Amino acid sequence: MPLTNNDIMKKLRVAHKLRDEDIVKILALAKFNATKSEINALFRNEDHPKFMECGDQFLRNFLNGLIIHLRGPREKTPPKK
């Protein structure tokens, strides 16, 4: 059984000791808005009625925000002449 996006989110959440508020802030760094209730739905069991599948766009924006959170914003390089 391959890993789903939800499994990846769960593993990253545990590995980085993130709370729902932290995930909201990380997504905001990637200019992606999500509510705490949407995030809670990602971490529910698949048989729960309010379970939400984590899409590729959500995971991609979370990973981009996590990079900014851990490394800081990307420095702008001057254009080459």
Side-chain angles (χ1 to χ4, degrees):
M1 181 184 264
L3 282 175
T4 64
N5 289 350
N6 292 68
D7 295 333
I8 294 169
M9 286 292 296
K10 287 177 188 176
K11 290 182 182 296
L12 288 170
R13 181 183 191 183
V14 170
H16 291 283
K17 300 175 185 167
L18 299 173
R19 303 170 117 195
D20 294 340
E21 299 85 22
D22 299 329
I23 295 173
V24 169
K25 290 176 185 175
I26 288 171
L27 287 167
L29 291 173
K31 296 178 177 55
F32 188 83
N33 295 325
T35 63
K36 285 175 36 172
S37 60
E38 290 173 327
I39 292 166
N40 278 328
L42 296 174
F43 299 114
R44 298 185 191 275
N45 288 330
E46 290 183 25
D47 57 347
H48 193 279
K50 296 202 179 202
F51 170 78
M52 185 174 83
E53 190 172 322
C54 181
D56 293 338
Q57 181 181 11
F58 191 95
L59 181 61
R60 182 182 66 243
N61 283 302
F62 176 74
L63 292 173
N64 287 336
L66 187 61
I67 290 169
I68 295 169
H69 175 73
L70 296 174
R71 292 186 192 168
R74 187 176 210 175
E75 294 180 14
K76 294 183 180 181
T77 57
K80 295 181 181 178
K81 293 182 181 181

